[in-house]
Amino acid sequence: MSLPNTAIETSIEPVRFREALGHYASGITVITSHIGDEPIGFTCQSFYSVSMSPPLVSFSVMSSSYSYPKIRRAGRFAVNILSGEQVGISNQFARQGADKWRGVEWRKSPLGNPIIGGSLHWLDCEIHAEHAAGDHMIVIGEVKALDLKKAAAVQPLLYFKGQYCSLTAPGVV
């Protein structure tokens, strides 16, 4: 069965594109690293698995990012997968220029990356590859260590249609 012909828009406006992508629910992470005495981090919802063998993950970051060049110099990063109770952490690390680490409990991972207290899980990675893609960089990391907490009752922090949500929210299937 073929679908009826519909007009396909050939010029995609950024606002409409962002709105369309907002209909894809995603988890929220904070990508962190450490260089010298400075912990570095930013909120990232563009995170996904790439390969099981070797274990690879990826995230996308704006090319104009203030934080990513420092992470690149470190050559490593941690992915802190946020729990549903960490909306404040997500908002804090989404801001530019603010003291993102004020009041945040963290410890060093096996590779020396900041692990944010209360995170659902974390992955410790070395940068494996990076690719320019429009106004973003696609960064691939090889997972060197991870933590799988027993967190059966803890929900992930999700983002859908421009707002945080939970798996049990009414109307979300």
Side-chain angles (χ1 to χ4, degrees):
M1 173 200 273
S2 65
L3 296 173
N5 286 339
T6 58
I8 297 176
E9 195 172 321
T10 57
S11 175
I12 307 297
E13 294 179 32
V15 172
R16 291 197 28 92
F17 184 56
R18 180 179 287 243
E19 181 184 336
L21 294 178
H23 284 75
Y24 180 74
S26 63
I28 302 291
T29 67
V30 173
I31 306 297
T32 59
S33 192
H34 201 271
I35 192 161
D37 291 335
E38 180 185 10
I40 305 149
F42 65 91
T43 299
C44 179
Q45 75 181 82
S46 298
F47 166 75
Y48 49 94
S49 64
V50 174
S51 169
M52 292 296 180
S53 183
L56 300 176
V57 294
S58 183
F59 67 88
S60 297
V61 60
M62 290 192 66
S63 298
S64 62
S65 167
Y66 173 79
S67 301
Y68 184 66
K70 294 177 181 184
I71 294 171
R72 178 190 291 132
R73 279 198 305 276
R76 56 184 164 58
F77 62 91
V79 179
N80 294 267
I81 301 170
L82 299 186
S83 74
E85 291 110 36
Q86 292 181 299
V87 170
I89 295 286
S90 176
N91 289 336
Q92 190 164 329
F93 280 87
R95 292 190 293 258
Q96 246 184 353
D99 181 5
K100 296 179 180 184
W101 294 92
R102 181 176 296 143
V104 175
E105 292 183 27
W106 63 277
R107 63 184 170 80
K108 285 191 176 182
S109 72
L111 292 179
N113 297 309
I115 300 301
I116 296 172
S119 294
L120 194 57
H121 297 300
W122 56 264
L123 305 166
D124 212 11
C125 306
E126 291 179 348
I127 295 176
H128 177 77
E130 91 180 1
H131 305 280
D135 60 0
H136 276 65
M137 293 294 298
I138 298 170
V139 181
I140 299 172
E142 184 170 354
V143 179
K144 298 295 185 177
L146 53 82
D147 179 44
L148 293 175
K149 294 179 185 152
K150 299 230 185 237
V154 179
Q155 295 288 321
L157 182 57
L158 301 176
Y159 202 71
F160 180 64
K161 291 186 179 180
Q163 61 188 3
Y164 296 110
C165 64
S166 70
L167 293 173
T168 57
V172 177
V173 180

